[in-house]
Amino acid sequence: MLWSVLLSLLLLLLLQVQLYVCLRELRASTPSTLALLPPVPPPPVHANITATSISTAQRLPGAIIIGVRKGGTRALLEMLNLHPDVEVAKAEVHYFNLDENYRRGLGWYRAQMPFTLPGQLTVEKTPGYFTAPLVPERVWEMNPAVRLLLIVRDPAERLVSDYTQVLHNRLQRHKPYQPLEKLLLLKDDDDDNNDDVDDGGDGVDHGKGRHRRRIDPGYKALQRSLYHVHFQRWLEHFPREQIHVVDGEALVRDPYPELRKAERFLELTPRIKPSNFYFNATKGFYCLVSAGHDKCLDESKGRPHAPLRPRAFRKLCHFLREPNKRFFNLVGQTFTWC
Ligand code: A3P
């Protein structure tokens, strides 16, 4: 009798040990079961409000991408936004260049900014700032220590891209438009019968009776491509070291090195990695990868350019040669533009 009681107790003990081992194995081998559990509920609303009001706020930008229009400003902004210590204003703000916005005051400007934690850098981009005469002084008055970024590309290509954007906008709104060549080239009065005579390929007029169409210096998109004129104005208010010039063509070819330089200029801990970029063959440009999500810029960036005959393009390049040299002298850097 005693033996049978002892035997049953031993069996019971063995069963319990087996059950315990089984349960442990099950827990260790199925971590995904956590995913089946309901998510942890968010903290109560009052706790959220306290945390937000203590830590995050809308702050004036510590850095501004001032231009150039069609230079790659959106790409640069989105790429800087990969950095965990950077928050960007998603839309262009146009505070310093549009009087109706500027009149609204700094409170309005601040309200356009994203919420940031202390120590994070707020960045906005408005390419119209670069060419608007009053902007450098206004920016300086807001904060003379603000860091400025200027992304440039070949000004001839920029002009064609600028025209292409205007053309798309006009087509969308069913508005009339003129071909680029008509806007870019002036026609001399005595030229009516000499429309298609060549200039010898160097963009210079050669003698009587030959083709006399020349670049119209008043064309707005060309004015925006005279970088030295606008850069000079910025230098009247900001020291050269406070303006970081990004090479737009280099950013297209290989974004990472340009981003690394920008991080250094902004005194950010290097956090952007080459793995944040991958070349998308369909788009024909680098796209961004962040937290497992990838993102390409929208179709208005990198679209085919409006046509411009090679001869007219050469004239444009010839016209820009001197302005480009002046710009190189101002920035202390040369670029391989046409
Ligand atoms: P194109 O459309 O002429 O090719 P912005 O943002 O200042 O308007 O500049 C637009 C330009 O950004 C585009 O001009 C394109 O060349 C350039 N760009 C640079 N990096 C890009 C990227 N990763 N994806 C798309 N466009 C990019």
Side-chain angles (χ1 to χ4, degrees):
M1 175 69 183
L2 184 67
W3 280 112
S4 56
V5 169
L6 275 174
L7 204 67
S8 338
L9 274 173
L10 200 67
L11 267 173
L12 205 67
L13 198 70
L14 262 171
L15 268 172
Q16 265 189 332
V17 169
Q18 234 175 351
L19 192 68
Y20 173 76
V21 169
C22 276
L23 272 173
R24 268 188 58 159
E25 271 178 13
L26 194 68
R27 236 181 268 157
S29 66
T30 55
S32 59
T33 49
L34 282 177
L36 300 174
L37 296 174
V40 178
V45 173
H46 65 270
N48 247 348
I49 288 169
T50 316
T52 303
S53 57
I54 288 170
S55 49
T56 72
Q58 285 167 296
R59 295 164 223 270
L60 292 173
I64 305 178
I65 300 173
I66 57 174
V68 302
R69 184 175 145 110
K70 303 316 293 171
T73 54
R74 174 59 60 185
L76 181 60
L77 186 82
E78 296 292 338
M79 289 170 183
L80 281 174
N81 200 27
L82 292 165
H83 197 290
D85 296 341
V86 171
E87 289 294 338
V88 305
K90 297 280 178 239
E92 290 178 7
V93 184
H94 293 277
Y95 173 65
F96 297 104
N97 59 329
L98 295 186
D99 285 343
E100 69 259 36
N101 288 339
Y102 193 64
R103 274 196 292 270
R104 291 170 157 149
L106 277 180
W108 179 87
Y109 186 44
R110 190 184 283 110
Q112 312 311 306
M113 297 302 146
F115 281 87
T116 51
L117 291 163
Q120 279 191 310
L121 177 72
T122 300
V123 184
E124 78 120 325
K125 78 113 177 165
T126 302
Y129 289 164
F130 182 55
T131 54
L134 292 175
V135 173
E137 186 174 357
R138 288 176 172 181
V139 173
W140 189 85
E141 277 167 5
M142 177 202 62
N143 177 9
V146 70
R147 286 164 209 243
L148 305 170
L149 295 122
L150 176 71
I151 178 162
V152 291
R153 76 190 281 194
D154 185 326
E157 292 290 348
R158 194 218 67 79
L159 179 149
V160 182
S161 176
D162 195 335
Y163 169 84
T164 306
Q165 171 156 313
V166 174
L167 174 71
H168 270 263
N169 293 344
R170 295 191 77 86
L171 286 173
Q172 258 176 0
R173 282 181 273 137
H174 306 288
K175 283 188 157 185
Y177 66 92
Q178 303 216 59
L180 174 54
E181 219 163 299
K182 252 214 146 111
L183 296 168
L184 182 64
L185 298 177
L186 279 172
K187 208 171 168 195
D188 282 355
D189 291 343
D190 61 349
D191 189 37
D192 285 346
N193 301 318
N194 292 311
D195 238 8
D196 272 322
V197 184
D198 203 344
D199 60 19
D202 58 3
V204 183
D205 299 335
H206 294 283
K208 275 190 178 152
R210 302 209 65 176
H211 185 61
R212 285 163 186 250
R213 301 190 74 184
R214 57 193 172 86
I215 297 290
D216 179 357
Y219 177 39
K220 278 250 179 70
L222 177 62
Q223 292 280 321
R224 288 195 281 266
S225 275
L226 303 178
Y227 299 161
H228 71 289
V229 173
H230 312 293
F231 198 75
Q232 180 62 58
R233 218 182 300 114
W234 284 89
L235 288 180
E236 281 158 23
H237 296 274
F238 291 93
R240 170 69 190 87
E241 329 64 90
Q242 213 168 311
I243 311 173
H244 177 65
V245 178
V246 178
D247 181 338
E249 274 95 10
L251 189 89
V252 170
R253 275 195 308 272
D254 185 8
Y256 175 69
E258 287 305 307
L259 263 293
R260 188 66 203 86
K261 287 182 224 163
E263 279 181 329
R264 223 171 287 140
F265 169 71
L266 297 170
E267 292 185 282
L268 293 165
T269 316
R271 295 292 294 277
I272 300 172
K273 304 257 168 338
S275 57
N276 283 123
F277 308 100
Y278 76 96
F279 187 77
N280 184 312
T282 318
K283 171 91 182 155
F285 283 89
Y286 275 88
C287 296
L288 285 60
V289 185
S290 175
H293 296 285
D294 66 341
K295 177 184 176 178
C296 299
L297 300 197
D298 74 37
E299 68 277 6
S300 72
K301 310 293 176 185
R303 62 188 155 200
H305 285 179
L308 180 64
R309 282 189 291 181
R311 195 188 336 150
F313 192 80
R314 280 198 302 273
K315 272 190 186 184
L316 176 60
C317 287
H318 186 267
F319 182 91
L320 286 168
R321 214 165 280 165
E322 202 48 44
N324 288 350
K325 266 192 212 154
R326 290 193 192 184
F327 178 67
F328 299 160
N329 285 337
L330 287 179
V331 295
Q333 198 176 336
T334 52
F335 297 86
T336 45
W337 295 336
C338 73

